[in-house]
Amino acid sequence: MPDCDYPTELPEKLLGDLRRAARVVKGAETVTVVTHIDADGITAGSIAAETLRRLGKEYTLVFEKKITEEAVERINSDSADLVWICDLGSAYMGQFTRSGLVVTDHHVPDPKWRSGQSSLEAFGTVHQLNPHLYKVSGSYEVCGAGMTYLLSKAIDPKNQDLAYLAVVGAIGDFQDSREYRLVSWNRIILNDAIEAGDVEVENTIRYFGRGTRPLVQFLQYGEPAVSGITGDMQACALLLQNLDIPAFDETGAKRTWCDLNEVERALLTDELMSSLEKEEDRKALFGEVYTIKRYEPKSGLGDAKEFSTTLNSCGRYDDAEAGARICAGDMSALEEAEQNRKDHRKNISQALSYVRDNHLLRRRNYVQYFFAGSAIRETVVGIVAGMMLGTSDAAPDMPILAFADADDGVKVSARAPKSLIDAGLDLSRIMSESAAEVGGMGGGHSVAAGATIPEGKEEVFLDRVEEHISETFSP
Ligand SMILES: [Mn+2]
């Protein structure tokens, strides 16, 4: 799709709103930053924290898995002059009663707040910066870290050197999965990062793990799938052999995509591209990737996708702080992250086998689902659901819902195949409405959404979800 379909400049209204919010941040002496634990949240929180550090403010950085009633209470009673919430908060605007609040988020805002507006806003102390308020998508046009960066830059243009973190956040939130590249406000932010000399755009194979995955696994686990190669380790090794591309270097170390020379890359690209029949798959396979220039490819931080995966693995294992230290350039935190990442891989593959070996996947008319109970961590159950969707056990044309025990009820993670999204399915709305109908809370994005519902309501919840889906697709 040509660039002209997306804005290449930020709207005046946003710039005005950013300037007003920037004044509030600059006017505060003490600030509490509250942010989400995923890659987008960690980069957002890091941008906010660094911005405040540069301003000489007294600040603390707090991570929340999500906004619970207790979190709302903590935010409302926080004694800091200002609470700056990143990558969270918009859905709960109506519940915040404090003055001194800035929210930089991209999730669907609380509709009541939108129409009614908080009375505090009249005094200029509550500012919500969210793309939905400007009719811009929060799924592929800008993320939480992006909104946080835009405010950071409005506070001081010198903060352009933090733009690369917003690029990492956007990639972490799959904002490139619609066009296979960053577009719209994300593109504007990307251009800032390029101009600052921090990011380079490369056109190449978009498989995960350019710098860290051994070549065989790079091919084996790549998406989109290439028939005869994907999922088949021996076929991948054989392909490399046939193309005369050594899988090991002279020292016996496994080579990665980044180790390949131009000729080797061209050969492999050509082989993969010519094996794909669908134009859409070819677009997904070959396109933009984002290189973070300050880091070595093998560090796990040299590519935006790998960087965000490192941060996500920190967050999922209750160590978002290590992620924030990495964003601040503290390389001792990388070792911790590496351990987190190993645990993460092991956990996910064990969880996936658990669901498959025990034949937990069930099918209804419109959805497939499984109950993981306490066998799978609620923080990884969504990934497992997404991976299940790609296996032969699952129906390829149905949303998948995964249930796992959580501290405050039952966590539901939902993923939908792209074909259904293109046909108009909005998981975010369905999860939010269905959850509300059984006394829970939900939301998220159109392809990936979640909810927390009271224990014992699982079946009723599934009924509600099915009703909403059938309404979407009935004429
Ligand atoms: Mn986000």
mmCIF file of all heavy atoms in Angstrom, residues 96-144:
data_model
loop_
_atom_site.group_PDB
_atom_site.id
_atom_site.type_symbol
_atom_site.label_atom_id
_atom_site.label_comp_id
_atom_site.label_asym_id
_atom_site.label_seq_id
_atom_site.Cartn_x
_atom_site.Cartn_y
_atom_site.Cartn_z
ATOM 1 N N PHE A 96 -10.540 7.231 37.456
ATOM 2 C CA PHE A 96 -9.481 8.023 38.092
ATOM 3 C C PHE A 96 -10.074 9.315 38.626
ATOM 4 O O PHE A 96 -10.742 10.057 37.905
ATOM 5 C CB PHE A 96 -8.360 8.328 37.102
ATOM 6 C CG PHE A 96 -7.660 7.084 36.605
ATOM 7 C CD1 PHE A 96 -7.536 6.831 35.250
ATOM 8 C CD2 PHE A 96 -7.130 6.163 37.510
ATOM 9 C CE1 PHE A 96 -6.896 5.688 34.787
ATOM 10 C CE2 PHE A 96 -6.492 5.013 37.063
ATOM 11 C CZ PHE A 96 -6.377 4.777 35.697
ATOM 12 N N THR A 97 -9.842 9.559 39.900
ATOM 13 C CA THR A 97 -10.437 10.739 40.532
ATOM 14 C C THR A 97 -9.387 11.773 40.905
ATOM 15 O O THR A 97 -9.722 12.839 41.394
ATOM 16 C CB THR A 97 -11.193 10.331 41.807
ATOM 17 O OG1 THR A 97 -10.298 9.563 42.631
ATOM 18 C CG2 THR A 97 -12.413 9.487 41.472
ATOM 19 N N ARG A 98 -8.102 11.456 40.705
ATOM 20 C CA ARG A 98 -7.059 12.373 41.144
ATOM 21 C C ARG A 98 -6.881 13.520 40.146
ATOM 22 O O ARG A 98 -7.267 13.422 38.976
ATOM 23 C CB ARG A 98 -5.731 11.639 41.312
ATOM 24 C CG ARG A 98 -5.173 11.104 39.981
ATOM 25 C CD ARG A 98 -3.734 10.638 40.129
ATOM 26 N NE ARG A 98 -2.841 11.714 40.493
ATOM 27 C CZ ARG A 98 -2.031 11.703 41.535
ATOM 28 N NH1 ARG A 98 -1.996 10.658 42.337
ATOM 29 N NH2 ARG A 98 -1.247 12.731 41.792
ATOM 30 N N SER A 99 -6.282 14.587 40.608
ATOM 31 C CA SER A 99 -5.818 15.601 39.671
ATOM 32 C C SER A 99 -4.328 15.326 39.463
ATOM 33 O O SER A 99 -3.698 14.682 40.290
ATOM 34 C CB SER A 99 -6.045 16.996 40.232
ATOM 35 O OG SER A 99 -5.315 17.135 41.421
ATOM 36 N N GLY A 100 -3.782 15.807 38.360
ATOM 37 C CA GLY A 100 -2.392 15.493 38.076
ATOM 38 C C GLY A 100 -2.271 14.117 37.475
ATOM 39 O O GLY A 100 -1.771 13.181 38.108
ATOM 40 N N LEU A 101 -2.796 13.966 36.263
ATOM 41 C CA LEU A 101 -2.762 12.658 35.605
ATOM 42 C C LEU A 101 -2.515 12.849 34.107
ATOM 43 O O LEU A 101 -3.191 13.644 33.453
ATOM 44 C CB LEU A 101 -4.096 11.940 35.816
ATOM 45 C CG LEU A 101 -4.223 10.538 35.207
ATOM 46 C CD1 LEU A 101 -3.337 9.541 35.932
ATOM 47 C CD2 LEU A 101 -5.677 10.056 35.262
ATOM 48 N N VAL A 102 -1.504 12.135 33.603
ATOM 49 C CA VAL A 102 -1.272 12.123 32.169
ATOM 50 C C VAL A 102 -1.276 10.668 31.726
ATOM 51 O O VAL A 102 -0.624 9.825 32.348
ATOM 52 C CB VAL A 102 0.077 12.789 31.802
ATOM 53 C CG1 VAL A 102 0.453 12.503 30.359
ATOM 54 C CG2 VAL A 102 -0.002 14.297 32.028
ATOM 55 N N VAL A 103 -2.040 10.359 30.690
ATOM 56 C CA VAL A 103 -2.111 9.000 30.177
ATOM 57 C C VAL A 103 -1.633 9.002 28.721
ATOM 58 O O VAL A 103 -2.153 9.769 27.897
ATOM 59 C CB VAL A 103 -3.557 8.458 30.258
ATOM 60 C CG1 VAL A 103 -3.665 7.090 29.573
ATOM 61 C CG2 VAL A 103 -4.009 8.343 31.719
ATOM 62 N N THR A 104 -0.610 8.204 28.435
ATOM 63 C CA THR A 104 -0.186 8.028 27.036
ATOM 64 C C THR A 104 -0.417 6.559 26.690
ATOM 65 O O THR A 104 0.375 5.696 27.041
ATOM 66 C CB THR A 104 1.299 8.415 26.833
ATOM 67 O OG1 THR A 104 2.100 7.880 27.898
ATOM 68 C CG2 THR A 104 1.474 9.920 26.807
ATOM 69 N N ASP A 105 -1.541 6.302 26.059
ATOM 70 C CA ASP A 105 -1.977 4.918 25.836
ATOM 71 C C ASP A 105 -2.518 4.783 24.413
ATOM 72 O O ASP A 105 -2.753 5.782 23.718
ATOM 73 C CB ASP A 105 -3.060 4.567 26.868
ATOM 74 C CG ASP A 105 -3.404 3.081 26.892
ATOM 75 O OD1 ASP A 105 -2.697 2.278 26.242
ATOM 76 O OD2 ASP A 105 -4.394 2.719 27.563
ATOM 77 N N HIS A 106 -2.725 3.531 23.992
ATOM 78 C CA HIS A 106 -3.292 3.303 22.655
ATOM 79 C C HIS A 106 -4.426 2.293 22.699
ATOM 80 O O HIS A 106 -4.907 1.866 21.651
ATOM 81 C CB HIS A 106 -2.193 2.825 21.690
ATOM 82 C CG HIS A 106 -1.640 1.468 22.034
ATOM 83 N ND1 HIS A 106 -1.532 0.454 21.107
ATOM 84 C CD2 HIS A 106 -1.181 0.957 23.202
ATOM 85 C CE1 HIS A 106 -0.998 -0.622 21.701
ATOM 86 N NE2 HIS A 106 -0.783 -0.331 22.968
ATOM 87 N N HIS A 107 -4.814 1.870 23.882
ATOM 88 C CA HIS A 107 -5.945 0.947 23.985
ATOM 89 C C HIS A 107 -7.252 1.721 23.884
ATOM 90 O O HIS A 107 -7.283 2.934 24.107
ATOM 91 C CB HIS A 107 -5.862 0.173 25.308
ATOM 92 C CG HIS A 107 -4.668 -0.739 25.374
ATOM 93 N ND1 HIS A 107 -3.475 -0.352 25.936
ATOM 94 C CD2 HIS A 107 -4.486 -1.990 24.909
ATOM 95 C CE1 HIS A 107 -2.604 -1.342 25.822
ATOM 96 N NE2 HIS A 107 -3.194 -2.350 25.199
ATOM 97 N N VAL A 108 -8.324 1.013 23.543
ATOM 98 C CA VAL A 108 -9.614 1.674 23.325
ATOM 99 C C VAL A 108 -10.037 2.432 24.588
ATOM 100 O O VAL A 108 -10.104 1.861 25.659
ATOM 101 C CB VAL A 108 -10.687 0.634 22.948
ATOM 102 C CG1 VAL A 108 -12.030 1.306 22.764
ATOM 103 C CG2 VAL A 108 -10.274 -0.117 21.685
ATOM 104 N N PRO A 109 -10.278 3.738 24.459
ATOM 105 C CA PRO A 109 -10.603 4.546 25.642
ATOM 106 C C PRO A 109 -11.988 4.227 26.199
ATOM 107 O O PRO A 109 -12.866 3.749 25.486
ATOM 108 C CB PRO A 109 -10.564 5.984 25.126
ATOM 109 C CG PRO A 109 -9.927 5.935 23.803
ATOM 110 C CD PRO A 109 -10.170 4.561 23.251
ATOM 111 N N ASP A 110 -12.126 4.528 27.479
ATOM 112 C CA ASP A 110 -13.400 4.455 28.174
ATOM 113 C C ASP A 110 -14.407 5.345 27.444
ATOM 114 O O ASP A 110 -14.237 6.558 27.376
ATOM 115 C CB ASP A 110 -13.160 4.967 29.611
ATOM 116 C CG ASP A 110 -14.428 4.975 30.452
ATOM 117 O OD1 ASP A 110 -15.512 4.730 29.878
ATOM 118 O OD2 ASP A 110 -14.317 5.221 31.654
ATOM 119 N N PRO A 111 -15.459 4.748 26.848
ATOM 120 C CA PRO A 111 -16.390 5.549 26.038
ATOM 121 C C PRO A 111 -17.122 6.593 26.872
ATOM 122 O O PRO A 111 -17.469 7.665 26.388
ATOM 123 C CB PRO A 111 -17.366 4.518 25.468
ATOM 124 C CG PRO A 111 -17.206 3.292 26.306
ATOM 125 C CD PRO A 111 -15.832 3.331 26.918
ATOM 126 N N LYS A 112 -17.358 6.281 28.133
ATOM 127 C CA LYS A 112 -18.067 7.231 29.006
ATOM 128 C C LYS A 112 -17.241 8.491 29.182
ATOM 129 O O LYS A 112 -17.738 9.595 29.167
ATOM 130 C CB LYS A 112 -18.340 6.589 30.382
ATOM 131 C CG LYS A 112 -19.499 5.589 30.310
ATOM 132 C CD LYS A 112 -19.907 5.131 31.685
ATOM 133 C CE LYS A 112 -19.132 4.055 32.210
ATOM 134 N NZ LYS A 112 -18.742 2.903 32.278
ATOM 135 N N TRP A 113 -15.937 8.273 29.347
ATOM 136 C CA TRP A 113 -15.063 9.420 29.552
ATOM 137 C C TRP A 113 -15.018 10.280 28.299
ATOM 138 O O TRP A 113 -15.039 11.490 28.347
ATOM 139 C CB TRP A 113 -13.649 8.948 29.895
ATOM 140 C CG TRP A 113 -12.788 10.063 30.411
ATOM 141 C CD1 TRP A 113 -12.730 10.525 31.684
ATOM 142 C CD2 TRP A 113 -11.887 10.884 29.654
ATOM 143 N NE1 TRP A 113 -11.843 11.567 31.770
ATOM 144 C CE2 TRP A 113 -11.317 11.811 30.545
ATOM 145 C CE3 TRP A 113 -11.514 10.906 28.307
ATOM 146 C CZ2 TRP A 113 -10.385 12.761 30.136
ATOM 147 C CZ3 TRP A 113 -10.587 11.861 27.896
ATOM 148 C CH2 TRP A 113 -10.033 12.775 28.807
ATOM 149 N N ARG A 114 -15.032 9.599 27.145
ATOM 150 C CA ARG A 114 -14.975 10.315 25.870
ATOM 151 C C ARG A 114 -16.157 11.244 25.693
ATOM 152 O O ARG A 114 -15.998 12.381 25.297
ATOM 153 C CB ARG A 114 -14.975 9.322 24.716
ATOM 154 C CG ARG A 114 -13.592 8.999 24.213
ATOM 155 C CD ARG A 114 -13.658 7.801 23.329
ATOM 156 N NE ARG A 114 -13.585 8.169 21.935
ATOM 157 C CZ ARG A 114 -13.656 7.278 20.948
ATOM 158 N NH1 ARG A 114 -13.841 6.011 21.238
ATOM 159 N NH2 ARG A 114 -13.567 7.644 19.700
ATOM 160 N N SER A 115 -17.359 10.699 25.995
ATOM 161 C CA SER A 115 -18.528 11.526 25.744
ATOM 162 C C SER A 115 -18.760 12.512 26.882
ATOM 163 O O SER A 115 -19.081 13.664 26.661
ATOM 164 C CB SER A 115 -19.765 10.643 25.559
ATOM 165 O OG SER A 115 -19.895 9.774 26.655
ATOM 166 N N GLY A 116 -18.541 12.047 28.123
ATOM 167 C CA GLY A 116 -18.836 12.907 29.265
ATOM 168 C C GLY A 116 -17.694 13.839 29.608
ATOM 169 O O GLY A 116 -17.902 14.953 30.038
ATOM 170 N N GLN A 117 -16.479 13.380 29.394
ATOM 171 C CA GLN A 117 -15.259 14.077 29.805
ATOM 172 C C GLN A 117 -15.235 14.233 31.329
ATOM 173 O O GLN A 117 -16.235 14.526 31.955
ATOM 174 C CB GLN A 117 -15.148 15.471 29.165
ATOM 175 C CG GLN A 117 -15.067 15.439 27.657
ATOM 176 C CD GLN A 117 -13.735 14.940 27.144
ATOM 177 O OE1 GLN A 117 -12.713 15.536 27.354
ATOM 178 N NE2 GLN A 117 -13.763 13.816 26.450
ATOM 179 N N SER A 118 -14.071 14.009 31.874
ATOM 180 C CA SER A 118 -13.931 14.167 33.319
ATOM 181 C C SER A 118 -14.018 15.642 33.655
ATOM 182 O O SER A 118 -13.527 16.495 32.938
ATOM 183 C CB SER A 118 -12.576 13.602 33.747
ATOM 184 O OG SER A 118 -12.165 14.226 34.927
ATOM 185 N N SER A 119 -14.654 15.956 34.767
ATOM 186 C CA SER A 119 -14.783 17.359 35.160
ATOM 187 C C SER A 119 -13.398 17.941 35.467
ATOM 188 O O SER A 119 -13.154 19.124 35.312
ATOM 189 C CB SER A 119 -15.691 17.481 36.378
ATOM 190 O OG SER A 119 -15.159 16.704 37.436
ATOM 191 N N LEU A 120 -12.494 17.063 35.905
ATOM 192 C CA LEU A 120 -11.151 17.544 36.232
ATOM 193 C C LEU A 120 -10.429 18.070 34.993
ATOM 194 O O LEU A 120 -9.592 18.949 35.081
ATOM 195 C CB LEU A 120 -10.326 16.405 36.832
ATOM 196 C CG LEU A 120 -10.692 16.008 38.264
ATOM 197 C CD1 LEU A 120 -10.050 14.673 38.602
ATOM 198 C CD2 LEU A 120 -10.264 17.075 39.246
ATOM 199 N N GLU A 121 -10.796 17.488 33.850
ATOM 200 C CA GLU A 121 -10.100 17.875 32.639
ATOM 201 C C GLU A 121 -10.269 19.360 32.363
ATOM 202 O O GLU A 121 -9.385 19.995 31.800
ATOM 203 C CB GLU A 121 -10.606 17.048 31.450
ATOM 204 C CG GLU A 121 -9.594 16.936 30.349
ATOM 205 C CD GLU A 121 -10.215 17.240 29.013
ATOM 206 O OE1 GLU A 121 -11.352 17.731 28.978
ATOM 207 O OE2 GLU A 121 -9.559 16.994 28.015
ATOM 208 N N ALA A 122 -11.404 19.874 32.792
ATOM 209 C CA ALA A 122 -11.662 21.300 32.615
ATOM 210 C C ALA A 122 -10.568 22.146 33.273
ATOM 211 O O ALA A 122 -10.246 23.228 32.814
ATOM 212 C CB ALA A 122 -13.024 21.652 33.195
ATOM 213 N N PHE A 123 -9.980 21.631 34.348
ATOM 214 C CA PHE A 123 -8.924 22.375 35.030
ATOM 215 C C PHE A 123 -7.552 22.116 34.421
ATOM 216 O O PHE A 123 -6.544 22.612 34.894
ATOM 217 C CB PHE A 123 -8.911 22.030 36.525
ATOM 218 C CG PHE A 123 -10.193 22.377 37.220
ATOM 219 C CD1 PHE A 123 -11.109 21.390 37.553
ATOM 220 C CD2 PHE A 123 -10.481 23.696 37.511
ATOM 221 C CE1 PHE A 123 -12.292 21.722 38.178
ATOM 222 C CE2 PHE A 123 -11.672 24.028 38.130
ATOM 223 C CZ PHE A 123 -12.588 23.043 38.467
ATOM 224 N N GLY A 124 -7.526 21.265 33.392
ATOM 225 C CA GLY A 124 -6.267 21.061 32.689
ATOM 226 C C GLY A 124 -5.286 20.175 33.410
ATOM 227 O O GLY A 124 -4.098 20.207 33.121
ATOM 228 N N THR A 125 -5.741 19.374 34.364
ATOM 229 C CA THR A 125 -4.778 18.545 35.078
ATOM 230 C C THR A 125 -4.876 17.070 34.703
ATOM 231 O O THR A 125 -4.093 16.279 35.157
ATOM 232 C CB THR A 125 -4.942 18.678 36.603
ATOM 233 O OG1 THR A 125 -6.279 18.314 36.925
ATOM 234 C CG2 THR A 125 -4.662 20.092 37.063
ATOM 235 N N VAL A 126 -5.866 16.714 33.879
ATOM 236 C CA VAL A 126 -5.978 15.341 33.408
ATOM 237 C C VAL A 126 -5.859 15.323 31.885
ATOM 238 O O VAL A 126 -6.635 15.988 31.191
ATOM 239 C CB VAL A 126 -7.327 14.704 33.835
ATOM 240 C CG1 VAL A 126 -7.466 13.307 33.235
ATOM 241 C CG2 VAL A 126 -7.418 14.638 35.360
ATOM 242 N N HIS A 127 -4.861 14.632 31.401
ATOM 243 C CA HIS A 127 -4.620 14.618 29.963
ATOM 244 C C HIS A 127 -4.523 13.192 29.452
ATOM 245 O O HIS A 127 -3.706 12.423 29.934
ATOM 246 C CB HIS A 127 -3.314 15.347 29.626
ATOM 247 C CG HIS A 127 -3.397 16.808 29.913
ATOM 248 N ND1 HIS A 127 -3.687 17.736 28.959
ATOM 249 C CD2 HIS A 127 -3.281 17.492 31.079
ATOM 250 C CE1 HIS A 127 -3.720 18.937 29.503
ATOM 251 N NE2 HIS A 127 -3.482 18.820 30.797
ATOM 252 N N GLN A 128 -5.376 12.871 28.510
ATOM 253 C CA GLN A 128 -5.305 11.558 27.890
ATOM 254 C C GLN A 128 -4.841 11.711 26.444
ATOM 255 O O GLN A 128 -5.504 12.368 25.643
ATOM 256 C CB GLN A 128 -6.677 10.865 27.922
ATOM 257 C CG GLN A 128 -6.628 9.523 27.214
ATOM 258 C CD GLN A 128 -7.961 8.800 27.167
ATOM 259 O OE1 GLN A 128 -7.981 7.592 27.153
ATOM 260 N NE2 GLN A 128 -9.062 9.523 27.143
ATOM 261 N N LEU A 129 -3.715 11.110 26.123
ATOM 262 C CA LEU A 129 -3.210 11.150 24.754
ATOM 263 C C LEU A 129 -3.338 9.758 24.175
ATOM 264 O O LEU A 129 -2.621 8.838 24.564
ATOM 265 C CB LEU A 129 -1.760 11.631 24.759
ATOM 266 C CG LEU A 129 -1.657 13.069 25.298
ATOM 267 C CD1 LEU A 129 -0.323 13.342 25.923
ATOM 268 C CD2 LEU A 129 -1.992 14.067 24.206
ATOM 269 N N ASN A 130 -4.298 9.615 23.271
ATOM 270 C CA ASN A 130 -4.639 8.289 22.749
ATOM 271 C C ASN A 130 -5.045 8.427 21.281
ATOM 272 O O ASN A 130 -5.870 9.283 20.941
ATOM 273 C CB ASN A 130 -5.799 7.719 23.592
ATOM 274 C CG ASN A 130 -6.144 6.294 23.197
ATOM 275 O OD1 ASN A 130 -6.360 5.988 22.027
ATOM 276 N ND2 ASN A 130 -6.207 5.413 24.191
ATOM 277 N N PRO A 131 -4.477 7.612 20.396
ATOM 278 C CA PRO A 131 -4.752 7.756 18.961
ATOM 279 C C PRO A 131 -6.245 7.674 18.614
ATOM 280 O O PRO A 131 -6.686 8.328 17.664
ATOM 281 C CB PRO A 131 -3.989 6.589 18.326
ATOM 282 C CG PRO A 131 -3.730 5.620 19.432
ATOM 283 C CD PRO A 131 -3.602 6.453 20.667
ATOM 284 N N HIS A 132 -7.010 6.886 19.393
ATOM 285 C CA HIS A 132 -8.433 6.759 19.091
ATOM 286 C C HIS A 132 -9.157 8.100 19.148
ATOM 287 O O HIS A 132 -10.159 8.298 18.472
ATOM 288 C CB HIS A 132 -9.107 5.786 20.070
ATOM 289 C CG HIS A 132 -8.646 4.370 19.893
ATOM 290 N ND1 HIS A 132 -7.622 3.830 20.645
ATOM 291 C CD2 HIS A 132 -9.024 3.410 19.031
ATOM 292 C CE1 HIS A 132 -7.425 2.579 20.256
ATOM 293 N NE2 HIS A 132 -8.257 2.296 19.287
ATOM 294 N N LEU A 133 -8.654 9.029 19.941
ATOM 295 C CA LEU A 133 -9.284 10.345 20.064
ATOM 296 C C LEU A 133 -9.039 11.192 18.815
ATOM 297 O O LEU A 133 -9.620 12.258 18.659
ATOM 298 C CB LEU A 133 -8.767 11.070 21.315
ATOM 299 C CG LEU A 133 -8.935 10.299 22.640
ATOM 300 C CD1 LEU A 133 -8.334 11.086 23.795
ATOM 301 C CD2 LEU A 133 -10.410 10.009 22.919
ATOM 302 N N TYR A 134 -8.152 10.699 17.927
ATOM 303 C CA TYR A 134 -7.869 11.416 16.678
ATOM 304 C C TYR A 134 -8.224 10.538 15.478
ATOM 305 O O TYR A 134 -7.720 10.742 14.380
ATOM 306 C CB TYR A 134 -6.379 11.819 16.630
ATOM 307 C CG TYR A 134 -5.925 12.505 17.896
ATOM 308 C CD1 TYR A 134 -5.454 11.757 18.973
ATOM 309 C CD2 TYR A 134 -6.038 13.889 18.053
ATOM 310 C CE1 TYR A 134 -5.078 12.369 20.165
ATOM 311 C CE2 TYR A 134 -5.669 14.514 19.233
ATOM 312 C CZ TYR A 134 -5.194 13.739 20.289
ATOM 313 O OH TYR A 134 -4.841 14.345 21.468
ATOM 314 N N LYS A 135 -9.042 9.517 15.745
ATOM 315 C CA LYS A 135 -9.459 8.560 14.714
ATOM 316 C C LYS A 135 -8.278 7.860 14.045
ATOM 317 O O LYS A 135 -8.256 7.621 12.836
ATOM 318 C CB LYS A 135 -10.336 9.255 13.659
ATOM 319 C CG LYS A 135 -11.622 9.815 14.257
ATOM 320 C CD LYS A 135 -12.712 9.952 13.225
ATOM 321 C CE LYS A 135 -14.096 10.131 13.833
ATOM 322 N NZ LYS A 135 -14.165 11.066 14.986
ATOM 323 N N VAL A 136 -7.297 7.538 14.876
ATOM 324 C CA VAL A 136 -6.118 6.821 14.399
ATOM 325 C C VAL A 136 -6.078 5.484 15.135
ATOM 326 O O VAL A 136 -6.425 5.405 16.312
ATOM 327 C CB VAL A 136 -4.845 7.676 14.652
ATOM 328 C CG1 VAL A 136 -3.577 6.844 14.610
ATOM 329 C CG2 VAL A 136 -4.776 8.806 13.631
ATOM 330 N N SER A 137 -5.690 4.423 14.420
ATOM 331 C CA SER A 137 -5.720 3.089 15.010
ATOM 332 C C SER A 137 -4.634 2.897 16.066
ATOM 333 O O SER A 137 -3.487 3.292 15.867
ATOM 334 C CB SER A 137 -5.537 2.032 13.919
ATOM 335 O OG SER A 137 -5.224 0.782 14.497
ATOM 336 N N GLY A 138 -5.021 2.260 17.156
ATOM 337 C CA GLY A 138 -4.046 1.884 18.174
ATOM 338 C C GLY A 138 -3.469 0.507 17.935
ATOM 339 O O GLY A 138 -2.659 0.019 18.719
ATOM 340 N N SER A 139 -3.891 -0.148 16.857
ATOM 341 C CA SER A 139 -3.385 -1.493 16.567
ATOM 342 C C SER A 139 -2.212 -1.482 15.596
ATOM 343 O O SER A 139 -1.345 -2.323 15.671
ATOM 344 C CB SER A 139 -4.473 -2.370 15.952
ATOM 345 O OG SER A 139 -5.610 -2.389 16.756
ATOM 346 N N TYR A 140 -2.220 -0.545 14.658
ATOM 347 C CA TYR A 140 -1.127 -0.554 13.676
ATOM 348 C C TYR A 140 -0.595 0.830 13.316
ATOM 349 O O TYR A 140 0.366 0.935 12.559
ATOM 350 C CB TYR A 140 -1.552 -1.297 12.404
ATOM 351 C CG TYR A 140 -2.735 -0.685 11.688
ATOM 352 C CD1 TYR A 140 -2.539 0.232 10.660
ATOM 353 C CD2 TYR A 140 -4.030 -1.004 12.049
ATOM 354 C CE1 TYR A 140 -3.616 0.812 10.016
ATOM 355 C CE2 TYR A 140 -5.109 -0.426 11.411
ATOM 356 C CZ TYR A 140 -4.893 0.476 10.396
ATOM 357 O OH TYR A 140 -5.965 1.059 9.763
ATOM 358 N N GLU A 141 -1.210 1.901 13.875
ATOM 359 C CA GLU A 141 -0.693 3.234 13.533
ATOM 360 C C GLU A 141 0.196 3.843 14.610
ATOM 361 O O GLU A 141 1.095 4.622 14.318
ATOM 362 C CB GLU A 141 -1.844 4.177 13.179
ATOM 363 C CG GLU A 141 -2.558 3.772 11.896
ATOM 364 C CD GLU A 141 -3.612 4.765 11.461
ATOM 365 O OE1 GLU A 141 -3.256 5.724 10.764
ATOM 366 O OE2 GLU A 141 -4.791 4.574 11.822
ATOM 367 N N VAL A 142 -0.063 3.469 15.866
ATOM 368 C CA VAL A 142 0.815 3.942 16.942
ATOM 369 C C VAL A 142 0.557 3.104 18.191
ATOM 370 O O VAL A 142 -0.545 2.581 18.382
ATOM 371 C CB VAL A 142 0.608 5.453 17.231
ATOM 372 C CG1 VAL A 142 -0.700 5.709 17.964
ATOM 373 C CG2 VAL A 142 1.781 6.046 18.004
ATOM 374 N N CYS A 143 1.580 2.947 19.014
ATOM 375 C CA CYS A 143 1.459 2.110 20.218
ATOM 376 C C CYS A 143 1.622 2.986 21.470
ATOM 377 O O CYS A 143 1.737 4.200 21.385
ATOM 378 C CB CYS A 143 2.526 1.026 20.188
ATOM 379 S SG CYS A 143 4.193 1.688 20.242
ATOM 380 N N GLY A 144 1.655 2.336 22.621
ATOM 381 C CA GLY A 144 1.799 3.063 23.887
ATOM 382 C C GLY A 144 3.142 3.776 23.977
ATOM 383 O O GLY A 144 3.218 4.938 24.396
#
